[in-house]
Amino acid sequence: MDLLITYDVETATPEGQRRLRKVAKVCEAYGHRVQKSVFEVVCREPDKVRLVSALQEAINPTQDSIRIYRLPAHALDDVEHLGKPRQTDPRGALVI
């Protein structure tokens, strides 16, 4: 499945800054960063379950927000992009 993950983590406190780093590390383990707080992820259902669980553990649900968009199959293969070219293939290997 193709997913688009976006997040907004409160960073006014040191705890919030730590949560932001943790959310980013979780997302990096599953997908490719395409903008500062946006990741493209290609995974299977069991991976998505683990990803969601890890993200839920990383955030403060009263202060932070994560949106996970489930896209049609292979939607990430046909992204219209303006500006600086995409550096990664969404189905390419992840370097962790």
Side-chain angles (χ1 to χ4, degrees):
M1 76 182 69
D2 289 6
L3 305 173
L4 186 69
I5 299 177
T6 66
Y7 55 86
D8 186 16
V9 176
E10 175 280 320
T11 58
T13 64
E15 295 82 16
Q17 292 169 10
R18 282 192 289 278
R19 288 194 313 273
L20 176 65
R21 287 190 297 275
K22 187 167 185 176
V23 167
K25 288 218 175 264
V26 168
C27 289
E28 287 170 347
Y30 287 87
H32 298 281
R33 183 189 299 264
V34 293
Q35 291 186 349
K36 292 185 189 280
S37 298
V38 181
F39 282 79
E40 293 176 344
V41 176
V42 176
C43 66
R44 297 169 298 135
E45 188 65 36
D47 298 321
K48 180 182 181 268
V49 170
R50 286 190 288 275
L51 168 62
V52 169
S53 176
L55 290 172
Q56 286 175 324
E57 290 179 17
I59 66 168
N60 178 333
T62 64
Q63 296 180 313
D64 308 326
S65 172
I66 298 177
R67 298 179 66 99
I68 301 172
Y69 298 90
R70 188 174 190 153
L71 305 173
H74 297 280
L76 294 175
D77 296 341
D78 189 30
V79 174
E80 186 172 344
H81 187 89
L82 306 174
K84 185 178 175 183
R86 178 149 105 193
Q87 301 296 316
T88 60
D89 175 0
R91 295 186 199 296
L94 285 176
V95 178
I96 300 175

